[in-house]
């Protein structure tokens, strides 16, 4: 008896059988095609959406804590409520000394400024930072370099200008090495920076001018004031665990009540990233839920057409059994038909989805790059194998039914 798996005639019979049931075969194949396409589109689309949303946070550390002043909400030590708190360098020193878990940190000051170069000018935010700033808010260096510790400790009059500021003042020429006037004080340009994320501290880096923190406070008589203090924590340490410690340190350095919740603000950015991760998880679960539903509808279609094929071929199966076909041969014959139908329609659906995802990636490309609407080869194989396994399983019950058909009953079937 020939082996139905390796016999070419068996595969011809499979094609003939499926062709004889054109309408049912087409509808089932379309269901599988659409199921694989939808599942692949959902996986690739959710990946693209996640990348699009994640791109808004690129360049910003995920374990950042921000400390900035507020206003008192209760009177204390002879001061009325509503007094504005001013952070200072002593607060920064106290926090750094008390928290060895801090990995990078920077005091930051802001000031609006007029920048002049020849006859050209630009209104920009002037930002004073320490050397750890670029580890917290990672810039894209278009040219030159960023502020370092030596610039800050030596009070150097150097600056890094944003991409848009550079275009306004220098056009297409290189600004590095040239001097610009910022609120009537000249600074040497050492770099041009930009950012990809939508997060900004004050204004976008593209529209800002960055100078050393010490240079800023000395040049513009800002004393020891600190507008905002940024810090990231070492791996394994959560920023939220140190809010009370920071609050206590600042309370001890200012005439504010220990119970005043509004005098100081502590913003744990990592909590916001956790919320975004939960949104991504929800999107992935929704895509999986819809995809599984679509998958099941296609598999049910395979099972239905196999039932119909077995019913219509009862007489033929009886003849094959009567002339010596083994039950195993009948099962393999029926399962082979479901496998062929599932494989062909599944591959077509995945290819269709890949084309749509490729077009979406091309159409959404911008100056920040492309959005990864992609389906990996591994994911495509997983989808195809899942459909193939379930499609084969759907044809298993009809195959078992065909195997149990007794030759004499099948020959008498009309």
């Amino acid at each position: 008896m020939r082996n139905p798996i390796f016999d070419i005639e068996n595969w011809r019979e499979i094609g003939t059988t499926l062709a004889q049931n054109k309408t049912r075969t087409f509808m089932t194949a379309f269901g599988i095609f659409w199921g694989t396409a939808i599942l692949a589109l959902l996986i690739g689309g959710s990946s693209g959406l996640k990348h699009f949303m994640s791109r808004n946070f690129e360049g910003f550390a995920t374990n950042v804590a921000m400390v900035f002043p507020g206003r008192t909400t209760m009177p204390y030590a002879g001061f009325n409520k509503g007094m504005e708190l001013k952070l200072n360098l002593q607060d920064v020193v106290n926090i750094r000394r008390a928290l060895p878990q801090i990995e990078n940190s920077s005091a930051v000051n802001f000031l609006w400024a007029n920048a002049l170069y020849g006859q050209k000018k630009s209104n920009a935010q002037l930002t004073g930072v320490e050397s750890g700033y670029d580890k917290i808010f990672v810039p894209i260096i278009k040219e030159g370099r960023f502020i370092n510790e030596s610039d800050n400790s030596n009070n150097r009059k150097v600056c890094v200008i944003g991409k848009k500021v550079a275009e306004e003042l220098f056009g297409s020429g290189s600004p590095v090495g040239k001097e610009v006037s910022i609120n009537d004080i000249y600074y040497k340009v050492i770099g041009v920076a930009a950012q990809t994320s939508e997060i900004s501290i004050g204004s976008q880096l593209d529209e800002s001018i960055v100078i050393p923190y010490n240079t800023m406070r000395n040049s513009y008589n800002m004393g020891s004031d600190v507008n905002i203090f940024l810090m990231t924590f070492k791996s394994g340490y959560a920023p939220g665990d140190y809010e009370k410690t920071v609050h206590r340190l600042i309370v001890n350095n200012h005439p504010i009540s220990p119970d005043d919740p509004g005098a100081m603000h502590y913003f744990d950015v990592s909590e916001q990233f956790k919320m975004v991760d939960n949104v991504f998880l929800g999107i992935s679960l929704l895509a999986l839920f819809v995809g599984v539903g679509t998958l099941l509808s296609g598999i049910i279609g395979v099972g239905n057409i196999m039932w119909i094929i077995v019913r219509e071929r009862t007489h033929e199966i009886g003849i094959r059994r009567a002339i010596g076909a083994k039950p195993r041969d009948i099962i393999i014959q029926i399962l082979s038909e479901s496998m062929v139908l599932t494989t062909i329609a599944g591959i077509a659906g995945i290819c269709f989805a890949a084309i749509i995802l490729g077009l979406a990636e091309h159409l959404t490309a911008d100056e920040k790059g492309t959005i990864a609407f992609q389906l990996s080869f591994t994911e495509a194989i997983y989808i195809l194998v899942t459909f193939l396994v379930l499609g084969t399983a759907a044809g298993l019950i009809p195959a078992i039914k065909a195997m149990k058909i007794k030759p004499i009953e099948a020959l008498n079937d009309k």
Side-chain angles (χ1 to χ4, degrees), residues 277-312:
D277 288 339
N278 290 335
V279 172
F280 291 156
L281 178 61
I283 292 173
S284 299
L285 291 177
L286 178 61
L288 181 62
F289 178 78
V290 176
V292 168
T294 309
L295 181 151
L296 290 177
S297 66
I299 298 307
I300 291 172
V302 173
N304 287 338
I305 194 172
M306 290 300 106
W307 273 110
I308 294 171
I309 289 175
V310 168
R311 177 58 185 166
E312 291 181 348

Side-chain angles (χ1 to χ4, degrees), residues 89-99 249-250 252-253:
L89 283 177
Q90 189 59 51
D91 294 316
V92 172
V93 171
N94 292 341
I95 293 172
R96 285 172 173 162
R97 183 183 298 136
L99 299 179
L249 292 169
I250 292 178
N252 291 340
N253 193 43

Side-chain angles (χ1 to χ4, degrees), residues 156-223:
R156 289 175 180 164
K157 287 185 171 58
V158 294
C159 68
V160 176
I161 60 177
K163 182 180 67 174
K164 291 184 179 179
V165 177
E167 292 172 353
E168 291 176 354
L169 294 179
F170 299 94
S172 59
S174 173
V176 175
K178 298 176 181 178
E179 292 190 342
V180 295
S181 173
I182 303 173
N183 287 357
D184 300 325
I185 298 176
Y186 282 90
Y187 295 83
K188 184 178 180 180
V189 179
I190 59 172
V192 178
Q195 68 181 69
T196 57
S197 71
E198 296 299 323
I199 297 177
S200 60
I201 301 176
S203 68
Q204 290 278 334
L205 183 58
D206 296 28
E207 303 170 349
S208 301
I209 300 174
V210 182
I211 64 175
Y213 171 80
N214 284 336
T215 302
M216 183 173 184
R217 70 189 188 89
N218 290 328
S219 297
Y220 301 103
N221 299 318
M222 302 187 73

Side-chain angles (χ1 to χ4, degrees), residues 18 21-35 297-306 308-309 337-338 341-342 345-346 387:
L18 295 176
N21 297 270
K22 291 181 181 179
T23 302
R24 299 189 187 98
T25 301
F26 174 79
M27 294 302 294
T28 302
F30 181 78
I32 298 171
F33 165 84
W34 192 242
S297 66
I299 298 307
I300 291 172
V302 173
N304 287 338
I305 194 172
M306 290 300 106
I308 294 171
I309 289 175
E337 293 170 4
S338 67
L341 189 63
T342 303
F387 266 84

Side-chain angles (χ1 to χ4, degrees), residues 112-129:
W112 283 103
N114 294 317
L116 299 174
Y117 180 75
Q119 299 300 315
K120 297 180 180 179
K121 68 177 182 178
S122 175
N123 294 321
Q125 175 181 274
L126 185 62
T127 307
V129 305

Side-chain angles (χ1 to χ4, degrees), residues 340-361:
V340 168
L341 189 63
T342 303
T343 301
I344 295 176
I347 292 175
I350 291 173
C351 292
F352 173 77
I355 293 172
I356 297 299
L357 291 172
L359 289 174
E361 183 170 311

